[in-house]
Amino acid sequence: MAIMAVQGVANMQAQWAIIGEFSNMPQEELLDWIQENTPPDSVFAGAMPTMASVKLSTGRPIVNHPHYEDAGLRSVKLTAAQLLNRPQ
């Protein structure tokens, strides 16, 4: 067990030593646009990874919470997309 702990600490230190930034310019531009062009009570729906960023970076409400999704929610989202004639 002690040997695994030593290797685990070494792995964590290696990961912490990585210096850099994640960059996704189209998403950053989207978040800036949302922040600058929509009222704070505007509600957004979309892909789970994108909605997590929208919620975190803009504070805007989202329809699907990034930490919860189930078959019922997917069905509602699909129905909404079909009603709005938008591709899923």
Side-chain angles (χ1 to χ4, degrees), residues 1-15:
M1 189 64 107
I3 293 171
M4 290 190 321
V6 169
Q7 183 60 48
V9 169
N11 288 343
M12 288 174 41
Q13 289 173 334
Q15 290 299 311

Side-chain angles (χ1 to χ4, degrees), residues 13-42:
Q13 289 173 334
Q15 290 299 311
W16 289 333
I18 297 173
I19 307 269
E21 268 186 44
F22 173 77
S23 180
N24 181 344
M25 284 310 294
Q27 184 166 316
E28 290 178 29
E29 290 170 353
L30 170 67
L31 297 172
D32 287 342
W33 185 90
I34 291 171
Q35 198 68 0
E36 295 167 2
N37 295 289
T38 64
D41 60 348
S42 297

Side-chain angles (χ1 to χ4, degrees), residues 4-5 17 29 39 45 48 51 54-55 58 60-61 75 77 81 84 87:
M4 290 190 321
E29 290 170 353
M48 293 302 247
M51 291 302 96
V54 167
K55 179 68 176 167
T58 69
R60 300 302 195 270
S75 175
K77 186 176 165 189
L84 296 171

